[in-house]
Amino acid sequence: MENDLYRRADRGKVDAALDAAKHIVAIDHLENATTTKADLILPAATFAEGDGTFVNNEGRAQRFYQVLAPKGDIQESWRWLREPVRAIDRGDAESWSNLDQVDLALASELPVFAPILKIAPPANFRIVGQKIPRQPHRYSGRTAMLAQISVHEPKPPDDPDSPLSFSMEGYEGEPPPSLIPRFWAPGWNSIQSLNKFQSEVGGSLHGGDPGQRLIEPARAGLKFFGEVPQAFERRSDEWLIVPLYHIFGSEELSVLSPGIAQRLPKLYIAVNDHDAARLGVNYSEQVELNLGGSTYSLPVKGHLAIPEGVAGLPVGLRELPFVDLPAWGRIARM
């Protein structure tokens, strides 16, 4: 579900796991190596077409809401999973009609997620009987968008999962901080109006910053590191290969846009100037990398931030299969 297994593990292991399965069902919004193995593919909503909860690197849970309603057979993954559970009359999926009920079931099963029930108002939340509009009051061209289909403006899509509406009609005052769809105030330009939503410039939003931490540090028995890690020691005939991440190419979406794909780096191996001299190669010359039983022919590129004895390999590029890094490898001049 929304996960290309071939980006997470060795191809041979994934092939063996999938070949052992009697039936494979994939739920995804991208075509990838995993979906090509599926007997049935169900179209999932993207992050812009669905609602849910993100947990960031500090363990803070924050609610996110869909920007637009999905079209056709597309729906969120949890809704696809709900259908077979309902069909076999198993569990409480019969009551899952919106995100609030799914979150309640999750918190009941895994109490660590109980705080997500408090990070945002429920779907039935209203202010003076009104939903909060996603679109600004100056939103224009709404009728013209579908003029080629009908001159009659259709009813906005329903949103059973949030107190937001897919229109510019609704409560125009300041909503709770977790439901603010945009920052706007008279006489202020763009994001400068953020100051009008804060208790002080650069401070918290009125009503407090959205989200709630799911993980808190222990108040007693806190121990700091008492030992200094051993310094890195280079090997005479091997390099420690570490991953290098790029803005474009190290994740899955950028390669799907032709314009952005032109900015993707070509596959290379990055080394320190001294290691390049040690290998007797100039930059852009080809070397042979032996890593994890596989051999790759790669051009050499200089990288000032890489220490001697370490080499960098860009990850996520389609030309390079999954490699479990960091790992020791051999580099030789061709």
Side-chain angles (χ1 to χ4, degrees):
M1 183 176 70
E2 298 186 54
N3 189 13
D4 184 7
L5 301 180
Y6 289 94
R7 290 177 60 91
R8 310 284 184 260
D10 177 74
R11 175 171 289 274
K13 294 181 179 179
V14 176
D15 283 340
L18 296 181
D19 291 342
K22 185 176 181 180
H23 299 291
I24 300 173
V25 178
I27 306 175
D28 213 322
H29 55 271
L30 297 175
E31 292 184 9
N32 51 50
T34 302
T35 60
T36 61
K37 295 276 189 175
D39 302 304
L40 175 64
I41 303 175
L42 302 174
T46 67
F47 67 92
E49 298 168 318
D51 307 270
T53 304
F54 282 133
V55 181
N56 68 4
N57 62 339
E58 69 160 335
R60 180 179 295 275
Q62 299 176 82
R63 185 64 46 82
F64 70 92
Y65 297 105
Q66 62 188 127
V67 179
L68 68 160
K71 297 181 179 180
D73 294 329
I74 298 173
Q75 60 181 354
E76 292 158 298
S77 293
W78 71 263
R79 284 190 159 91
W80 281 120
L81 293 174
R82 176 188 61 183
E83 303 311 315
V85 177
R86 280 181 170 179
I88 61 177
D89 193 23
R90 179 180 174 184
D92 57 354
E94 187 65 34
S95 64
W96 295 358
S97 60
N98 63 19
L99 185 63
D100 290 340
Q101 292 162 345
V102 176
D103 286 343
L104 182 60
L106 175 64
S108 300
E109 188 72 21
L110 301 171
V112 68
F113 290 110
I116 70 174
L117 302 177
K118 304 175 183 178
I119 61 177
N124 61 2
F125 176 80
R126 300 291 186 271
I127 301 179
V128 198
Q130 296 177 307
K131 278 195 167 190
I132 298 165
R134 283 176 167 86
Q135 301 164 356
H137 65 278
R138 292 180 176 177
Y139 191 83
S140 61
R142 189 170 63 181
T143 303
M145 288 179 180
L146 302 174
Q148 81 281 11
I149 300 176
S150 173
V151 295
H152 301 287
E153 185 178 332
K155 177 182 177 293
D158 291 324
D159 185 1
D161 296 323
S162 80
L164 304 175
S165 64
F166 287 105
S167 72
M168 58 187 181
E169 290 83 16
Y171 179 72
E172 282 298 336
E174 185 176 331
S178 58
L179 296 177
I180 298 176
R182 63 195 174 277
F183 295 109
W184 179 89
W188 291 79
N189 292 325
S190 172
I191 195 61
Q192 292 179 352
S193 62
L194 171 63
N195 300 330
K196 307 295 288 185
F197 290 76
Q198 296 173 322
S199 56
E200 60 179 349
V201 176
S204 298
L205 295 173
H206 297 157
D209 293 329
Q212 187 167 341
R213 285 177 55 154
L214 304 182
I215 305 171
E216 294 290 349
R219 297 187 178 277
L222 183 62
K223 295 181 180 180
F224 292 91
F225 294 103
E227 299 180 2
V228 178
Q230 185 177 358
F232 171 74
E233 294 183 5
R234 66 172 305 165
R235 298 181 181 179
S236 59
D237 58 345
E238 288 184 311
W239 276 258
L240 179 63
I241 312 299
V242 298
L244 296 179
Y245 296 93
H246 290 262
I247 295 177
F248 304 128
S250 290
E251 42 69 50
E252 297 176 77
L253 293 179
S254 57
V255 299
L256 302 178
S257 173
I260 296 178
Q262 296 176 8
R263 307 297 302 169
L264 302 185
K266 301 295 183 181
L267 199 57
Y268 65 89
I269 185 76
V271 297
N272 183 283
D273 288 351
H274 297 287
D275 281 339
R278 175 186 169 196
L279 288 166
V281 297
N282 296 318
Y283 293 139
S284 299
E285 290 185 353
Q286 298 287 121
V287 295
E288 189 176 83
L289 171 64
N290 189 288
L291 181 65
S294 300
T295 301
Y296 310 93
S297 177
L298 305 169
V300 176
K301 185 176 180 180
H303 201 302
L304 297 177
I306 293 181
E308 293 184 50
V310 178
L313 194 63
V315 296
L317 303 183
R318 288 188 171 183
E319 298 86 350
L320 183 70
F322 172 82
V323 181
D324 192 11
L325 299 177
W328 291 95
R330 296 179 182 271
I331 305 175
R333 183 178 181 181
M334 296 183 64

